[in-house]
Amino acid sequence: MRLDKYISDSTPYSRKEIKKLIKEGAVAVNDITAAKPDIQICENDDVTINGEAVNYTKYVYLIMNKPQGYISATEDRHYKVVTELVPEKYAHYNVFPVGRLDIDTEGLLILTNDGALDHAVTSPKKNVYKRYFARLDRSAEKKDIESFAAGMKFKEFTSKPARLEICDDPHEVYVEIAEGKYHQVKRMFERVGKTVVYLKRTAIGRLALPEELKPGELVEIDKNEIVMLLETNK
Ligand code: URA
C-alpha cells in the first residue's frame, strides 16, 4: 500500500499533514528517510515519524460499558450517541456500534470500524449468545424458563432457545439470547407477563463486560481476543 495510506490508517494525521511530514524528512521506512507519500510499502515495514514507531492498525476494537441515556448510533438529531464517548485519539477510525442496545439499557457494547466483525456478532446464523442481567417488576417463575427455552414466535422472527436463570431474588434474572431483535428481551418478558425495569448486557459470547469498567468508560481490545471469544461461544 502507499506510505500515506499506511500512516493515515494508523494515526490521526490528515493526508495533508502526512505530506508535510514527509517533505520535512520526518518519516522513515526501515530507517531510510521517505522521499514521497506514494512509495509502496507493506504492513510489516518499520515506519517512524520523528523516530516514533507507527504500528499499522486499520481496524480498532473498543468495548464500552454503555450508559443509559445514549443511543447506539453514530449521529442523531435528538439524542446523545455512544460515539460521543469515544476519546479523540480514536476519532479517525470512525467506529460504529456493533448491534444495538436500547437507550435505557446499559452494558457491553463493541465499537469498531471492522464490518466483518459486525456481521459475525449480529447475524443470528452465527449463534453468538448475548447475556443480559434484568430486573423485573414481578418475580420470574420456573415455567418462564421453559417458555424461554421453547423459543417464542414474534411477528418478524421466532427466537432460538433462550436460556433463563432466576437469581436468589426472583425479580432478578440472567437471560441469554442468540439474536438481537428490537426490544427482544423486553418483549420476551412481556410475553410471560413481566416488565423489564432494568436491563444490562453482561456478555457477548465469551466476551464479558469487564467489572471495573464504569458506565461511559471504554477500553481498547485486541482483535484476536475478540475473535477467539466469539468463536468459542455456542
Ligand atoms: N433486548 C432489549 O429489550 N433491549 C436491549 O437493549 C437489548 C436486548
Side-chain angles (χ1 to χ4, degrees):
M1 83 187 85
R2 285 171 57 126
L3 174 62
D4 52 359
K5 173 157 172 40
Y6 179 109
I7 300 175
S8 81
D9 277 353
S10 319
T11 72
Y13 291 117
S14 67
R15 289 284 174 126
K16 203 168 151 196
E17 288 166 333
I18 295 165
K19 211 169 161 188
K20 189 160 171 270
L21 284 164
I22 293 171
K23 210 167 167 192
E24 289 166 358
V27 178
V29 179
N30 302 329
D31 290 332
I32 298 167
T33 305
K36 289 163 113 197
D38 62 354
I39 58 171
Q40 291 292 318
I41 64 162
C42 59
E43 281 183 27
N44 298 332
D45 283 325
D46 288 330
V47 176
T48 56
I49 301 177
N50 291 319
E52 297 263 339
V54 177
N55 294 318
Y56 185 70
T57 33
K58 182 167 186 189
Y59 297 124
V60 71
Y61 306 89
L62 306 172
I63 55 178
M64 173 187 285
N65 185 350
K66 178 195 164 300
Q68 293 183 339
Y70 285 78
I71 62 164
S72 304
T74 54
E75 50 184 34
D76 193 84
R77 286 222 218 129
H78 304 292
Y79 297 102
K80 291 183 283 187
V81 294
V82 288
T83 46
E84 287 174 35
L85 298 165
V86 174
E88 188 56 34
K89 67 172 178 168
Y90 297 111
H92 65 289
Y93 288 107
N94 295 319
V95 295
F96 54 83
V98 171
R100 284 192 189 159
L101 292 178
D102 295 337
I103 191 164
D104 57 352
T105 301
E106 286 182 6
L108 179 59
L109 188 66
I110 301 172
L111 294 123
T112 186
N113 53 347
D114 179 354
L117 179 80
D118 182 38
H119 180 68
V121 173
T122 53
S123 165
K125 282 196 200 117
K126 303 276 177 181
N127 233 15
V128 175
Y129 272 80
K130 290 98 187 166
R131 183 172 171 86
Y132 293 84
F133 168 79
R135 200 166 294 124
L136 309 172
D137 66 332
R138 302 174 48 202
S139 295
E141 300 160 89
K142 284 231 173 75
K143 64 178 164 65
D144 300 338
I145 297 176
E146 283 147 41
S147 308
F148 275 62
M152 288 184 192
K153 197 165 162 35
F154 292 96
K155 214 168 37 186
E156 81 279 24
F157 78 109
T158 300
S159 68
K160 290 193 176 169
R163 307 165 188 146
L164 178 64
E165 296 161 31
I166 304 176
C167 301
D168 290 342
D169 173 352
H171 291 86
E172 296 184 343
V173 294
Y174 283 94
V175 58
E176 292 181 1
I177 55 172
E179 307 84 6
K181 300 288 183 190
Y182 182 66
H183 291 339
Q184 184 172 340
V185 172
K186 293 172 185 165
R187 286 157 78 194
M188 290 179 81
F189 279 106
E190 254 167 45
R191 200 44 88 71
V192 294
K194 281 113 200 156
T195 302
V196 172
V197 294
Y198 172 80
L199 189 61
K200 177 177 180 174
R201 183 155 64 191
T202 59
I204 298 174
R206 290 162 58 92
L207 180 69
L209 178 69
E211 269 176 29
E212 67 280 5
L213 211 59
K214 299 195 184 71
E217 290 182 348
L218 49 81
V219 284
E220 187 176 342
I221 173 170
D222 194 62
K223 173 168 191 176
N224 296 333
E225 212 173 325
I226 289 202
V227 168
M228 183 193 68
L229 290 165
L230 298 178
E231 272 177 359
T232 46
N233 162 74
K234 282 279 163 349

